[in-house]
Amino acid sequence: MSESLSQLLEPIADWFRSLGVPEPIVHWGHPVMMGIVVGVMGSFVVLTGWQGRLMIATDDAAAAEKRTEHAKIAPLMFLFIALGYTGGVLSLVMQNQPILQSPHFWTGTLVIGMLGVNGAIAAFGFSQGKGFRSIHAYLGSVAMAVLLIHAVLGLKLGLSI
């Protein structure tokens, strides 16, 4: 299946290769960009989400402001992570590396799934009761922890290629 996926993506990889992108950018561009997205946007999303959750008991207005900030940035973070996921897979194809054999690929896939479920909970579950807000908070936090593991696995992969 890995070979079929690589063959399916090969025309896109060929097009990117034809642009003459320097090898260090093909090799390290994904981790640098994703490090920025996860480090900056991810930290902000986690921080504002938990601030909005924990401030409810002390300051409703400040909590609402933090939840609003969280809601503005979280979908953009998901979009950039999804685009980065695509770029990471394409980078592997461009470097003639197997896709499905990498634990880095599987942790990335897991995170995309977790964040997708979390987005669905935010979109549809909050109106269903307070429990969904707790699930959202903890699932998002676990997703960010998996992203840290994902980064370590990615560094290991990048150094091995």
Side-chain angles (χ1 to χ4, degrees):
M1 184 155 167
S2 179
E3 186 62 34
S4 298
L5 183 57
S6 291
Q7 287 175 354
L8 182 68
L9 295 172
E10 189 59 41
I12 300 167
D14 278 340
W15 183 79
F16 277 105
R17 283 187 200 106
S18 75
L19 299 175
V21 177
E23 190 279 331
I25 293 175
V26 171
H27 192 88
W28 294 108
H30 166 76
V32 168
M33 293 300 155
M34 294 311 298
I36 293 168
V37 169
V38 172
V40 175
M41 293 180 92
S43 299
F44 182 82
V45 167
V46 169
L47 182 64
T48 56
W50 276 102
Q51 285 175 333
R53 183 174 173 77
L54 298 175
M55 287 180 175
I56 291 173
T58 59
D59 187 348
D60 284 342
E65 181 182 336
K66 292 298 180 182
R67 287 193 307 270
T68 299
E69 291 173 0
H70 174 83
K72 285 179 184 176
I73 299 299
L76 291 172
M77 182 194 78
F78 177 76
L79 173 66
F80 289 135
I81 287 176
L83 291 171
Y85 173 90
T86 306
V89 169
L90 206 51
S91 174
L92 285 175
V93 175
M94 289 175 71
Q95 296 175 76
N96 298 310
Q97 297 296 314
I99 298 170
L100 302 179
Q101 296 175 7
S102 166
H104 181 71
F105 169 82
W106 291 110
T107 55
T109 302
L110 176 62
V111 165
I112 292 290
M114 293 171 78
L115 292 177
V117 167
N118 226 22
I121 290 171
F124 306 110
F126 287 174
S127 62
Q128 303 300 315
K130 204 171 189 175
F132 281 97
R133 286 192 182 274
S134 293
I135 293 168
H136 175 82
Y138 290 106
L139 182 59
S141 295
V142 169
M144 292 306 291
V146 173
L147 274 171
L148 292 175
I149 295 166
H150 178 72
V152 170
L153 292 171
L155 182 60
K156 182 179 173 186
L157 175 63
L159 293 171
S160 73
I161 297 177

